[in-house]
Amino acid sequence: CAGTFQPLMAADGVHVVAVRATDAAGNEGAVTTSSYTLDTVAPAAPVVVGQPSPGNDPTPDWTITVEPGATVECALDAHPFAPCGHSYSTDLTGREGQHRLSVRARDAAGNLSHVVSSSYVLDTIAPAAPVITHAARPGGWTWEFSVPADASAECSVYLNPWFGCASPLAATPGDTSAPLDVRSVAAAGH
């Protein structure tokens, strides 16, 4: 061969090319070798663990695990992929709603893994206050209340600890004046 040599390397692995020069008289020089590692196999997809969602923390964190020797690239929402570490944090203050972190691994040969995504819904807006009505019934009271559809209710009677509750809620038999407090709790915990 002369000049450039491009061998056909069909299988992944280490390939060795040996070259020696021969002059016009047939004298052969020393053999020189060079090796090349062909790697066309993508790395395993990363494992991404995020915070519970929805949440009211505007600075969520994700933990990312990739195979040894691979680097991590991240993209939040519509931003392009960029190198990131094995953890990713961002400030979403003022950016209510759903966000998606996309993560991929890149091995030493430049092969990319499949993209893995993790969603986080930022919800810092408290739900509307519940509406409470009550009605007399034989031997006590029954309270009826409503909370927004995306919230659950917690109740406290006589300032006792809060508990999950549903409407209607009956007062203790014989109790004609039990105070009831009801609060709406969003899925994000506020």
Side-chain angles (χ1 to χ4, degrees):
C1 66
T4 303
F5 175 67
Q6 293 180 319
L8 176 62
M9 292 181 245
D12 278 7
V14 177
H15 298 273
V16 178
V17 176
V19 179
R20 71 175 165 206
T22 305
D23 64 16
N27 298 312
E28 294 181 350
V31 174
T32 301
T33 61
S34 180
S35 65
Y36 176 80
T37 302
L38 179 62
D39 176 3
T40 61
V41 177
V47 175
V48 180
V49 178
Q51 291 183 200
S53 181
N56 59 5
D57 180 358
T59 56
D61 298 308
W62 286 268
T63 301
I64 304 162
T65 304
V66 295
E67 67 181 42
T71 59
V72 184
E73 297 176 355
C74 300
L76 183 65
D77 298 331
H79 295 285
F81 279 95
C84 61
H86 292 275
S87 63
Y88 184 87
S89 299
T90 190
D91 188 349
L92 300 173
T93 301
R95 296 170 50 196
E96 294 285 321
Q98 182 162 336
H99 300 276
R100 179 177 306 277
L101 178 68
S102 298
V103 180
R104 66 187 183 193
R106 182 183 297 268
D107 67 14
N111 299 312
L112 295 173
S113 71
H114 291 289
V115 174
V116 175
S117 295
S118 175
S119 293
Y120 178 72
V121 176
L122 176 61
D123 179 5
T124 61
I125 300 169
V131 175
I132 304 172
T133 59
H134 64 280
R137 63 173 175 78
W141 291 91
T142 298
W143 293 282
E144 293 185 4
F145 50 89
S146 62
V147 296
D150 62 345
S152 59
E154 289 186 346
C155 296
S156 174
V157 181
Y158 285 117
L159 302 176
N160 284 314
W162 292 95
F163 60 93
C165 58
S167 182
L169 180 67
T172 305
D175 192 345
T176 58
S177 64
L180 173 70
D181 292 312
V182 179
R183 65 184 177 192
S184 297
V185 179
H190 57 274

